[in-house]
Amino acid sequence: DDEYGNQSIAGYNMQILIFLLNMLRVIWIFKLIRYSTGLHMIAKIFWRSMKELLLLIQVLIVGVFFFGSLTYYAEYEEEGTTFRSMPHSFWFVLVTMTTVGYGDIIPYTGSGKTIASLCAIFGILIMVLPIAVIAINFARFYNEKKEKKKTDEYEKVSRNIGKA
């Protein structure tokens, strides 16, 4: 750094190199999926459940806008509120709907607490539905694998009997 706090070109290039090396590690993890049957199975299950996951994201976005707006208008006039803007309300609702609950933003009014409670219940309900679909896809995929293994073993025994 120079006396003005500006970074040198060499320092900037080093940051880019470190970033690229970190990205290579991430890519290497994705390469492991090819060799791990368990990770391969999970990737296929998520790929088969893509429509349901996209629906979950869409419903989550609609819920964030709906409950975020309600919460903001219930709380924004309250003295000492942490809901300073709509994005703050959207963040609160997203954290509440996904049941993370950081506690950095909390409602103070009765109506804000009621809306937050409804938001949490709505979040739990919309998270449960795709999980059931993913579980069904997992069971279906597992049964297909089991059937394929049985069929392969049957064919192997049939070939060996034919040779005898």
Side-chain angles (χ1 to χ4, degrees):
D1 291 356
D2 61 11
E3 66 266 13
Y4 302 110
N6 295 327
Q7 199 171 29
S8 66
I9 298 293
Y12 182 71
N13 287 340
M14 185 58 91
Q15 283 181 339
I16 290 175
L17 179 66
I18 291 170
F19 174 76
L20 290 175
L21 288 174
N22 284 332
M23 289 304 296
L24 284 175
R25 288 191 325 186
V26 171
I27 292 169
W28 181 75
I29 289 171
F30 282 121
K31 187 178 175 185
L32 285 177
I33 291 175
R34 193 177 346 160
Y35 302 111
S36 170
T37 55
L39 291 176
H40 187 70
M41 186 170 73
I42 289 172
K44 278 192 172 184
I45 290 167
F46 277 111
W47 185 254
R48 284 185 180 182
S49 306
M50 192 58 67
K51 284 193 313 191
E52 292 82 7
L53 292 172
L54 289 175
L55 179 64
L56 167 70
I57 291 170
Q58 289 174 343
V59 172
L60 192 66
I61 289 171
V62 168
V64 164
F65 280 102
F66 177 73
F67 285 109
S69 301
L70 288 177
T71 307
Y72 177 74
Y73 286 114
E75 293 285 326
Y76 80 101
E77 290 180 342
E78 188 68 22
E79 189 175 321
T81 186
T82 50
F83 294 90
R84 295 184 298 274
S85 64
M86 286 289 240
H88 283 96
S89 297
F90 294 158
W91 171 250
F92 166 75
V93 168
L94 181 66
V95 168
T96 303
M97 286 177 72
T98 56
T99 67
V100 174
Y102 290 125
D104 55 343
I105 302 174
I106 56 171
Y108 291 108
T109 64
S111 58
K113 290 177 182 180
T114 303
I115 294 167
S117 299
L118 293 173
C119 172
I121 292 168
F122 179 76
I124 291 169
L125 291 175
I126 67 165
M127 292 294 177
V128 166
L129 297 175
I131 290 172
V133 173
I134 291 170
I136 290 168
N137 283 338
F138 175 79
R140 187 179 305 140
F141 188 79
Y142 181 76
N143 288 333
E144 287 173 8
K145 281 285 199 186
K146 207 161 80 172
E147 278 299 315
K148 185 175 183 323
K149 188 175 181 181
K150 252 190 219 177
T151 306
D152 290 346
E153 288 176 6
Y154 177 76
E155 288 175 0
K156 185 177 177 182
V157 170
S158 301
R159 282 193 304 256
N160 289 338
I161 290 174
K163 289 180 183 178

